[in-house]
Amino acid sequence: MTVYIGNLSYEVTEDDLTSVFAEYGAVKQVKLPVDRESGRKRGFGFVEMEDEANEEKAIEELDGAEWIGRTLKVNKAKPRTPRPANSWGGN
């Protein structure tokens, strides 16, 4: 299971998220997507932890919490859905 964290400050680093989620258990992986054109962080991230029970506890305690001046949105990440092909013939 992977955890989605939304409404992140653009200054947040992967190390920052790792340290916050490490309080709930071992962190396997952290991803902070960036915009392809600008290279700027997109304001959300994903954390994968080793234990699902710890992920649930982190979601429960961090959803709605204030961190670095922002109210976090934390929940289970939804699986990525494939995008439809371009309508102008780019498939």
Side-chain angles (χ1 to χ4, degrees):
M1 182 175 110
T2 301
V3 178
Y4 164 85
I5 306 95
N7 201 32
L8 287 172
S9 167
Y10 296 112
E11 287 78 42
V12 169
T13 66
E14 290 181 0
D15 288 341
D16 294 333
L17 275 180
T18 299
S19 65
V20 167
F21 278 81
E23 294 178 25
Y24 299 94
V27 174
K28 288 171 69 174
Q29 185 176 39
V30 175
K31 291 184 183 178
L32 288 171
V34 295
D35 182 79
R36 284 184 222 154
E37 293 179 21
S38 69
R40 182 175 151 182
K41 292 176 190 157
R42 297 179 66 195
F44 64 90
F46 300 95
V47 174
E48 185 180 352
M49 297 179 72
E50 288 187 6
D51 182 64
E52 194 168 329
N54 291 339
E55 287 179 340
E56 293 289 342
K57 185 171 172 78
I59 290 169
E60 189 178 301
E61 292 188 16
L62 294 174
D63 186 37
E66 176 121 355
W67 188 49
I68 311 179
R70 302 229 179 180
T71 303
L72 298 179
K73 176 66 179 160
V74 183
N75 54 34
K76 289 182 184 182
K78 295 177 182 162
R80 205 172 195 191
T81 56
R83 292 183 178 196
N86 294 336
S87 61
W88 55 85
N91 22 345

